[in-house]
Amino acid sequence: MRRAVLAGTIVLAVTLWGTATLVLGETFPSKAVKITAPYSAGAAPATFTRVVGDKLSRMWSQPVIVEPRPGASGFIAIEAVKNAAPDGHELLVVSDAHVAINPSLYKKLPYDPQRDFVPVAMFYHTPFYLAVATASPYQNVPALINAAKARPEAVSYGSSYVGSPSQLGSAEFEFLTGTKMIHVPYKDQSQMYVGIANGDVGWAFTTLGSARPLMQAGRIKLIAVAAPQRTRVQPDVPTLAEAGGPPGMQVGSWLAILAPRGTPPEVVRRINADVNKALADPDVVAQMQSFGFEAAPETPEQLADEIRADAKKYAELVRRTGATAE
């Protein structure tokens, strides 16, 4: 009899818990939602997050605030969300750099991607282009490689921050071309593009969305894309292999949403479903195309799998190239 009562109590508790989490998912959000981004306000990832945030705000009938907190390789933004209430009202935008590259690049991290966060939704994938100043002496990839070989550690390249895909991609470019160049990290992405345009640094790997403003101003140009094939939005830009660079080399990135560990699964699924719905909106699709992004709607489980696979891939790349965060 006592066992029957206990079993009934357990069943009732599980049923009530399941009902409570379902209701929680249906009633979310109950207040404004803040999405913290480790990028400057004008950077393409932050800009695109605002585009999606605007669509989510209309779906949820609640404000969605995107707060740019750049600097320290994303640590400032990540720390701000790590200990937030796990109820879905504080979210974090990250790239593969923050959760798949940094664990191998830094000996000590102030956060643990697996322990401190749960994957929520993927935004997009994007390839990187090799950008130089319009008046650069490196008007093509062979000219850049030859200059770096002729004068080791004289040619410099920028990256948006230490540990970024652009830094690791540049380290791989050095490794595959047998060159040694100077890495110049920037706290603010927009400063890096000005640095390229002014000749303060020789080149950088960049996304189309972030480079576009100075491209339109005629101050920087793209001489190759680090992808298997040319892109639809920049069909005249050759691949690295076509341009005389390392064959098969790819540099890319993605942007995704995470939530503090402990966020209820029903809330995670609600946010995931609505983000995927926003990514299919014609206005958002148009914005993605202008930035050169490819929508990548995934389930939280698929995003978790992608993070694990990329962490393994980048750990090998860090080992092979000797890249460091110093």
Side-chain angles (χ1 to χ4, degrees), residues 127-210:
F128 276 65
Y129 297 80
L130 201 163
V132 299
T134 303
S136 169
Y138 321 125
Q139 290 294 303
N140 53 59
V141 175
L144 171 61
I145 296 172
N146 292 337
K149 286 183 174 180
R151 299 181 60 198
E153 298 193 55
V155 176
S156 61
Y157 62 85
S159 76
S160 49
Y161 52 87
V162 172
S164 63
S166 57
Q167 182 209 350
L168 203 55
S170 301
E172 184 180 20
F173 184 79
E174 289 180 276
F175 178 81
L176 294 175
T177 57
T179 57
K180 185 67 176 176
M181 296 181 252
I182 300 172
H183 173 220
V184 182
Y186 284 80
K187 178 181 178 180
D188 188 319
Q189 274 191 330
S190 60
Q191 294 174 356
M192 182 185 77
Y193 298 110
V194 173
I196 296 171
N198 291 341
D200 299 328
V201 290
W203 64 280
F205 279 121
T206 173
T207 63
L208 176 62
S210 294

Side-chain angles (χ1 to χ4, degrees), residues 154 167 185 225 267 278 286 293:
Q167 182 209 350
V225 60
V267 171
F293 299 155

